[in-house]
Amino acid sequence: MKLSKKQAVFENEVLTRFELFNSLFMTLPFYQVKHTGTLLPFFTTHCERGVANKLDPETILESFFNEYKQYIGESDRIDLLFRIIQYIERQVVLFDAVEDSAFKKTGRSDEAGMLDSVFKLTENNKALRKKLIDKLQNFSLRLVLTAHPTQFYPGPVLSIITDLTEALKQNDIHNAHLLLQQLGKTPFMNKRKPTPVDEAISLAWFLENVFYPVASAIQSKIDDEFDISAEDINPVVELGFWPGGDRDGNPNVTVESTRQVAMLLRTVLFRCYYRDFRVLKRRLTFRGVEKYMDKLYDLLYENSFNPPQTPRNEKSHILQNLREIKRVLVEYHDGLFVELVDDMARKVKTFGCFFATLDLRQDSSILRQTHRYLREKYPDLAGISADFEQRDEAGKQAALQFQELDLRHDAAASALVADTLDVIHLIKEIQLSGGERAAQRFIISNCQQASDILELMELFLWSDWKRDSLHMDFVPLFETVDDLERAADVMKSLYTHKQYAAHLKRRGNRQTIMLGFSDSTKDGGYLMANWSIYKAKIELTAIARQYDVDLVFFDGRGGPPARGGGKTQRFYAAMGKEVVNDHIQLTIQGQTISSQYGSLDTAHYNIEQLLYAGLNSHIGQKDGDTLSVEKKELIDYMANVSHEKFLELRHDPLFLKYLERFSPLKFLSQINISSRPVKRNADRELRLEDLRAISFVTSWSQLKQNIPGFYGVGMALQQADKDGRWNEVVELYETSGMFKTMIDNCMMSMSKSNFDLTSYIQKDKEFGAFWQKMCDEFERTKTYVLKLSQSTTLMENYPVERESIAMREKIVLPLLIIQHYAIRQLQEEPDNEVYAKLVTRTIYGVVNAGRNLA
C-alpha cells in the first residue's frame, strides 16, 4: 500500500530514527543489563507470535526460556524479566523524544486550524475581524494542571527527555549518546509516595519551563496581530493548579500543604520574573532608568530568594516601574529595547503574583459535616433550627441565615472538619499575597443539590468573610449521569435564591460549572456519558441565558477518550449555538501533561488548537453543530441503547471480580506516583462506586480492553441499523462535529485495545463467557464504526497517529506479557513479593507508552 505524504515523513523522521537510536541504546555497555539489549528483539518477536497464536503468558515465556538454556534457574529468569522491563521503560522515553523532536516535521499542525488561520480568515473582512476582536475581549482558555495518579516520570527523567529531544532536533549524536547513557543509569521509580507538595514541585517544572514562555508567546502573537498594547491586554491563556488544593478523597492534603504550594507557585514565578529582569538589565544600560531598575531588582530578588513571611501582592508595583522604564525609553532613547519591557509587562499581567490559580476542592459530604459541626457547636449564633437535617431541600434553603460571624473549631473537631475551616481562613491570606486570582474557586464534588453550594457560602460568612468582599466563586461539580440530569434544576434554584443571586451579581454575574467526564463514563458508559454532558450543557446554557448569567463550563477531562480526552479541541470547535463557549476550561491530567505539554512545540500546538476551536466556533460555526430536534432524539436513542448494554455488563456479578483477577487494579495503590489513594473509603472492601474513575480506566487499559472507551457503541449502531435509521446516523456523523469526534475518539480507544492478548481467558471456566461477551462487543463496534466512517482500518483518517500508536503498542507488548504472567503466578502464590514487584514495574511503561491511557 502506498504511503501518504504524512506517513512517509513519519516513517523517515520518527520510525527510522527511532530504530537507529534504539540500536545505539541497546548496545550500550551497562553492567546491570548485559546481553539484554541483544535478547530483547528476539523476546519481542516471540511475544508477538505467541499473542497471534492466542497462547497464554506462561506458555509464551516458558517456550522462550526453553530456547535460551542459560536462563534455566527461576532467579535467572526473573532477573532477565526485570532487565527487560528496564530496557522497555527507556525505549518508551526514547520514542517519546524522537517523536517530539520531529513534531513540526510530521505535519500534525495541518490536521486542525491554528491561530494564523483564524487571523487569515478575517484579514480581508472588517465585520468578521471586529467580531473576532470583540470575542477576544471576553474569551479565555484555562488549563488546570491536576495531580491525579498517572504522572509516571520523575523529575530527573523529564529533564532527560527535554534535553534528549533537543539533541535529536539538532542531530547532535554525541550529546544524544551521552543522554542515552544517563537515561540507562537513572532510576524510573520513586522510593516513596510523593506528598501533595512533592506533586506541586513536579508540576511546577511545566509551569516554569513550558507554560511561562508559551503562554506569553501566544499572547504576544495575538497582541501583535491586533496591535494591542501591553497596557490593554486581556490575558487569553490562564493557568489553574490542583496539587495542594484538591482535598477530595485525599487526606494527605492539609491546610499546611495548601499554604506551602501557594508559596511555591509565587516563588517559582518570581524566579521566572527575575531571570527575565536580568536579560532586561543587560540591555538597559541607559541613563534615566536606574532608579526604576533598582526598585525592580530589590523587589524581584527578595521575593525570589528570600520571600517574606507574609508576602503581599506586588503586581501593581512591578507594572508601575515597568511603565516608568518604558516612558524613559520612549522619551529619551528612541524606544530602544521597549519590546523587552512590553514582554515582561505582558507576563506580569498574565501571571500576576500567583502564576496559576490554586483551586480548592472537597466532597459535598465533608462540607455538610462541617456545616453541621458549626451549627451544633454554636446553636445560638448560627440561628438555624434544630430540625435542619430533617427538612427537604426547599426547607434547608429557607433556613440558611447567611450571618457574618467568626466561628472557630476546637480540638474536638474531626481532621476533615478542622481542615475545611482552616483552609477557608487561609484563602484570605493567599489572596493577600497573590491577588484575588491566586485562589478564587472552591469546587464542590458530588454536588447534588443547591444547598450544597449555599452551605459552603455560609461557611465562608461564618469564617470572618464579609459579603461585600467575598471574592470567591463556588463551583458545583456534576459527575454522575443522575447528577447531570439534575444539574439544570440545581442551578435554577441558585439563580433564583436571593442571597446567592446577590453574591453572583457581585462576581460579575459569572458562574462556573464543572462537569466530570470520568465518573459519568464509569457510571453510564462511553456514549451515554458524552451525551449526558452535552445535553446538560444545552440545558445549563438555556437556564443561564434566561437569568442573564455569564456561564463558564469547566470540563474535568482525563487523558483517554473514556475520560473525556482524545481529540479534545474538536469537541470545542463543534459546540453549537445552544452551548455557551465563551471560555474553555479543562483539566490536564497525568501523563497527558508531559505528552501534550511537555515541550515548547507540543504545548504551543495544543494550546493554539484549543484557542482556534473556541474562536472559530464563534466566527465560523457550522450549521450541523447545532443539533436539530431529530438529531438530538437520534443520539438520545442510541445513548440509551448503549447505556443499557453497558449496565448489563457493569451489573454482571463477575464485572469487578474480573477486573481484580486479571488486571493490575490492586497494584495501582502500590506504585509511588501519587499522594492520592486509589479508592475512596479505603477502610472497607472494594466497591465499584468507591473505585476512582482513573483507576477504573487505567485497569482496563492495562488489560488492553479499554471497555470504558467503546463498550455499548457497537450495540447502539447495530440497533439503529436494524431499525432502519442507518442513513440518519451517517448524516449525523457527516454533519455533527460533536458526534463525529465521539466516534473518532472511540476508534482511538479501540486502536489501543488488543483482545488477542487476553484470548486465553476464553478457556477459563468462570470468566470465559464474560471475556467473550466483551470481545463480541469490540468486534461489533469495530464493524460498525468502520462502516460509519467508510474506512477499512481504525483511525484510517489519522495515519500519523495510527502509526504512532502501533509502534508504541509494539514496544510495550513484552511488558504486558510479563504483567499477565506475574498476575497469574500471584493467583497461585499471593504473597510472592517478586511477582508483585514485576506487576507494578510493568504498569509504568504501559501507561507512559500510551500517552493518554489513564
Side-chain angles (χ1 to χ4, degrees):
M1 184 178 72
K2 185 179 179 181
L3 295 179
S4 69
K5 183 178 178 181
K6 288 182 181 180
Q7 283 176 288
V9 172
F10 186 80
E11 187 165 288
N12 290 331
E13 295 292 337
V14 179
L15 298 183
T16 301
R17 294 181 81 219
F18 170 69
E19 293 298 342
L20 174 66
F21 283 100
N22 189 42
S23 62
L24 176 66
F25 175 62
M26 293 175 76
T27 56
L28 290 175
F30 300 133
Y31 172 75
Q32 295 92 336
V33 290
K34 189 177 181 181
H35 305 309
T36 311
T38 308
L39 278 176
L40 184 53
F42 299 105
F43 184 69
T44 299
T45 302
H46 193 85
C47 290
E48 289 172 348
R49 288 175 185 159
V51 170
N53 291 324
K54 298 180 169 48
L55 301 179
D56 61 68
E58 293 98 326
T59 302
I60 293 173
L61 288 184
E62 189 63 37
S63 58
F64 176 79
F65 287 127
N66 285 339
E67 291 183 21
Y68 296 89
K69 302 297 185 182
Q70 66 267 42
Y71 298 101
I72 194 167
E74 179 68 14
S75 62
D76 291 332
R77 293 180 174 189
I78 293 294
D79 183 57
L80 177 63
L81 295 180
F82 274 116
R83 285 189 276 123
I84 285 173
I85 292 170
Q86 285 180 285
Y87 247 110
I88 293 176
E89 285 175 335
R90 287 154 179 80
Q91 275 188 312
V92 171
V93 170
L94 177 59
F95 190 78
D96 284 348
V98 171
E99 191 169 32
D100 287 347
S101 71
F103 188 80
K104 287 189 174 180
K105 297 179 181 178
T106 54
R108 294 190 183 191
S109 58
D110 297 334
E111 291 179 8
M114 305 291 276
L115 283 177
D116 286 337
S117 60
V118 181
F119 300 157
K120 190 173 182 180
L121 184 68
T122 65
E123 64 184 3
N124 295 319
N125 187 325
K126 290 184 178 180
L128 206 55
R129 196 164 182 83
K130 183 180 184 305
K131 190 176 182 181
L132 180 59
I133 293 172
D134 291 342
K135 171 73 172 176
L136 283 167
Q137 296 303 310
N138 189 38
F139 175 75
S140 64
L141 165 67
R142 179 176 293 195
L143 302 173
V144 181
L145 307 187
T146 76
H148 290 320
T150 52
Q151 180 50 262
F152 286 71
Y153 289 137
V157 175
L158 285 172
S159 297
I160 294 172
I161 294 174
T162 301
D163 295 341
L164 183 57
T165 301
E166 194 58 36
L168 294 173
K169 270 188 188 179
Q170 306 300 326
N171 282 317
D172 185 347
I173 306 299
H174 174 70
N175 198 25
H177 188 262
L178 289 174
L179 289 164
L180 288 174
Q181 291 184 63
Q182 182 187 1
L183 185 67
K185 292 177 177 290
T186 302
F188 269 46
M189 295 183 68
N190 297 314
K191 290 185 177 180
R192 61 176 179 82
K193 278 189 176 292
T195 67
V197 178
D198 292 333
E199 292 170 332
I201 292 170
S202 176
L203 291 187
W205 185 93
F206 294 96
L207 291 179
E208 181 178 3
N209 294 286
V210 179
F211 288 102
Y212 180 76
V214 170
S216 173
I218 290 175
Q219 185 69 55
S220 176
K221 185 175 185 177
I222 293 171
D223 296 348
D224 290 346
E225 175 68 23
F226 299 106
D227 196 22
I228 300 171
S229 73
E231 291 292 313
D232 301 325
I233 71 160
N234 174 47
V236 173
V237 180
E238 302 173 350
L239 300 174
F241 207 73
W242 275 22
D246 180 15
R247 52 229 324 119
D248 175 23
N250 190 350
N252 299 308
V253 177
T254 64
V255 69
E256 185 54 35
S257 58
T258 303
R259 187 192 312 275
Q260 289 182 41
V261 170
M263 181 58 78
L264 168 74
L265 292 174
R266 191 179 189 279
T267 302
V268 170
L269 175 63
F270 269 91
R271 288 179 184 172
C272 290
Y273 288 159
Y274 181 71
R275 283 199 298 271
D276 281 355
F277 173 78
R278 291 188 65 180
V279 173
L280 198 63
K281 189 174 177 64
R282 284 200 296 273
R283 296 291 169 266
L284 302 189
T285 52
F286 320 134
R287 293 188 182 279
V289 299
E290 305 95 326
K291 177 173 66 173
Y292 310 112
M293 292 293 285
D294 288 346
K295 286 181 180 178
L296 274 181
Y297 174 82
D298 291 342
L299 195 157
L300 297 176
Y301 184 87
E302 283 301 312
N303 281 277
S304 296
F305 303 105
N306 188 26
Q309 289 290 326
T310 54
R312 290 290 180 264
N313 183 10
E314 305 286 2
K315 178 181 176 181
S316 61
H317 295 144
I318 299 172
L319 289 173
Q320 177 60 31
N321 282 289
L322 288 173
R323 277 194 291 269
E324 289 300 318
I325 292 168
K326 182 175 180 179
R327 178 185 61 78
V328 172
L329 295 180
V330 171
E331 290 181 5
Y332 302 105
H333 302 292
D334 301 318
L336 192 59
F337 297 127
V338 76
E339 70 278 0
L340 294 179
V341 181
D342 281 343
D343 179 65
M344 190 165 184
R346 185 178 294 111
K347 287 171 178 170
V348 175
K349 284 202 166 237
T350 299
F351 303 116
C353 290
F354 61 93
F355 214 160
T357 300
L358 183 59
D359 285 347
L360 289 299
R361 184 171 78 134
Q362 184 55 282
D363 189 81
S364 60
S365 63
I366 305 302
L367 300 176
R368 289 187 214 116
Q369 287 177 33
T370 307
H371 194 266
R372 182 169 64 249
Y373 167 83
L374 289 181
R375 289 199 317 268
E376 293 174 352
K377 181 173 171 57
Y378 300 99
D380 295 332
L381 288 175
I384 296 178
S385 57
D387 68 343
F388 183 82
E389 295 292 340
Q390 285 71 48
R391 293 188 173 210
D392 61 12
E393 174 62 13
K396 286 180 180 178
Q397 291 183 33
L400 298 173
Q401 301 294 312
F402 299 98
Q403 299 177 69
E404 294 179 353
L405 303 168
D406 187 7
L407 310 182
R408 304 282 173 151
H409 68 81
D410 57 22
S414 70
L416 289 173
V417 166
D419 174 76
T420 302
L421 293 173
D422 288 343
V423 84
I424 287 174
H425 284 93
L426 175 64
I427 293 169
K428 194 178 289 186
E429 294 178 32
I430 296 173
Q431 290 190 353
L432 282 173
S433 68
E436 178 186 322
R437 287 173 61 202
Q440 64 177 159
R441 307 202 302 190
F442 205 119
I443 299 161
I444 299 91
S445 297
N446 194 29
C447 185
Q448 298 176 338
Q449 51 208 12
S451 58
D452 289 336
I453 302 282
L454 298 173
E455 286 182 36
L456 176 59
M457 179 177 161
E458 189 163 65
L459 284 176
F460 271 78
L461 294 175
W462 285 353
S463 301
D464 202 28
W465 287 73
K466 308 302 179 187
R467 284 188 191 82
D468 292 341
S469 55
L470 183 52
H471 305 307
M472 286 299 297
D473 298 323
F474 301 108
V475 181
L477 168 52
F478 302 111
E479 298 177 90
T480 67
V481 172
D482 288 343
D483 287 348
L484 289 165
E485 287 180 353
R486 288 196 301 267
D489 289 337
V490 169
M491 297 314 300
K492 184 175 182 179
S493 295
L494 288 170
Y495 298 152
T496 56
H497 188 278
K498 182 179 178 182
Q499 293 285 352
Y500 191 79
H503 171 71
L504 208 56
K505 187 175 182 181
R506 288 189 290 269
R507 300 296 296 157
N509 255 16
R510 177 173 293 182
Q511 173 67 54
T512 302
I513 297 174
M514 186 172 182
L515 302 174
F517 282 75
S518 300
D519 280 293
S520 54
T521 302
K522 189 184 84 170
D523 183 48
Y526 178 74
L527 201 56
M528 177 57 86
N530 279 275
W531 174 235
S532 295
I533 287 172
Y534 192 82
K535 191 166 55 170
K537 283 190 173 185
I538 292 174
E539 294 168 354
L540 289 165
T541 298
I543 292 291
R545 286 171 176 168
Q546 181 182 343
Y547 292 96
D548 197 26
V549 171
D550 180 13
L551 183 59
V552 179
F553 287 121
F554 174 27
D555 292 331
R557 295 179 180 271
R563 296 184 52 238
K567 295 186 174 296
T568 307
Q569 76 283 356
R570 294 182 183 273
F571 274 114
Y572 293 114
M575 295 293 103
K577 295 176 182 177
E578 293 180 296
V579 177
V580 67
N581 201 28
D582 291 332
H583 306 276
I584 294 176
Q585 298 191 4
L586 68 156
T587 54
I588 309 295
Q589 301 181 6
Q591 87 281 17
T592 310
I593 298 172
S594 53
S595 65
Q596 294 186 2
Y597 301 91
S599 71
L600 299 179
D601 288 344
T602 56
H604 204 118
Y605 169 76
N606 283 295
I607 291 174
E608 279 212 24
Q609 277 207 318
L610 287 167
L611 289 172
Y612 170 87
L615 294 172
N616 198 51
S617 71
H618 181 69
I619 63 170
Q621 199 170 75
K622 298 176 182 177
D623 291 338
D625 289 336
T626 300
L627 298 173
S628 64
V629 174
E630 293 77 16
K631 288 179 179 177
K632 288 178 188 174
E633 184 277 326
L634 177 61
I635 300 177
D636 196 63
Y637 152 83
M638 289 191 291
N640 279 295
V641 173
S642 174
H643 188 214
E644 187 177 327
K645 180 70 174 174
F646 180 79
L647 288 183
E648 176 198 352
L649 183 75
R650 210 186 83 162
H651 292 153
D652 191 306
L654 294 179
F655 186 75
L656 199 53
K657 287 175 66 178
Y658 178 89
L659 207 54
E660 287 187 286
R661 176 79 173 269
F662 296 104
S663 85
L665 172 61
K666 64 180 70 174
F667 298 94
L668 293 177
S669 62
Q670 298 173 23
I671 51 181
N672 295 326
I673 56 168
S674 173
S675 66
R676 191 184 182 90
V678 170
K679 67 186 183 78
R680 296 176 174 88
N681 302 309
D683 55 341
R684 71 185 183 196
E685 186 180 349
L686 178 63
R687 301 189 309 172
L688 186 59
E689 54 267 36
D690 292 336
L691 183 61
R692 291 193 178 281
I694 300 166
S695 306
F696 177 73
V697 172
T698 302
S699 298
W700 285 113
S701 69
Q702 295 278 320
L703 275 168
K704 289 297 164 187
Q705 292 175 354
N706 289 326
I707 294 300
F710 75 86
Y711 199 87
V713 174
M715 180 60 75
L717 294 174
Q718 183 186 68
Q719 192 62 49
D721 194 12
K722 285 183 178 178
D723 291 347
R725 307 191 66 175
W726 186 251
N727 289 338
E728 295 177 57
V729 177
V730 171
E731 185 191 4
L732 180 65
Y733 180 77
E734 291 175 347
T735 58
S736 167
M738 180 271 294
F739 183 70
K740 184 179 188 302
T741 303
M742 276 200 290
I743 297 299
D744 289 354
N745 279 345
C746 177
M747 284 194 271
M748 178 192 290
S749 189
M750 295 177 74
S751 295
K752 298 181 181 184
S753 302
N754 183 356
F755 274 80
D756 284 347
L757 180 70
T758 52
S759 58
Y760 61 89
I761 299 175
Q762 64 187 312
K763 299 175 184 176
D764 188 287
K765 290 182 180 179
E766 184 179 7
F767 295 99
F770 185 80
W771 178 91
Q772 191 63 55
K773 179 163 55 176
M774 293 186 293
C775 184
D776 289 346
E777 179 60 15
F778 177 86
E779 293 299 332
R780 178 174 20 246
T781 305
K782 182 178 178 181
T783 298
Y784 275 94
V785 295
L786 291 178
K787 179 181 178 182
L788 181 59
S789 60
Q790 298 183 355
S791 305
T792 55
T793 58
L794 293 172
M795 296 188 71
E796 187 174 303
N797 296 324
Y798 307 101
V800 171
E801 289 184 353
R802 189 178 75 245
E803 293 289 337
S804 175
I805 289 171
M807 189 62 192
R808 290 172 178 277
E809 294 300 311
K810 177 184 175 70
I811 291 171
V812 299
L813 182 63
L815 288 186
L816 294 162
I817 297 298
I818 294 171
Q819 180 186 105
H820 288 222
Y821 168 76
I823 289 174
R824 283 166 70 86
Q825 294 304 304
L826 283 165
Q827 291 167 13
E828 305 297 327
E829 304 176 55
D831 298 324
N832 190 310
E833 293 183 5
V834 174
Y835 287 128
K837 189 176 180 182
L838 272 177
V839 174
T840 56
R841 286 299 302 274
T842 58
I843 295 171
Y844 290 76
V846 175
V847 172
N848 284 332
R851 288 205 149 185
N852 72 342
L853 288 183

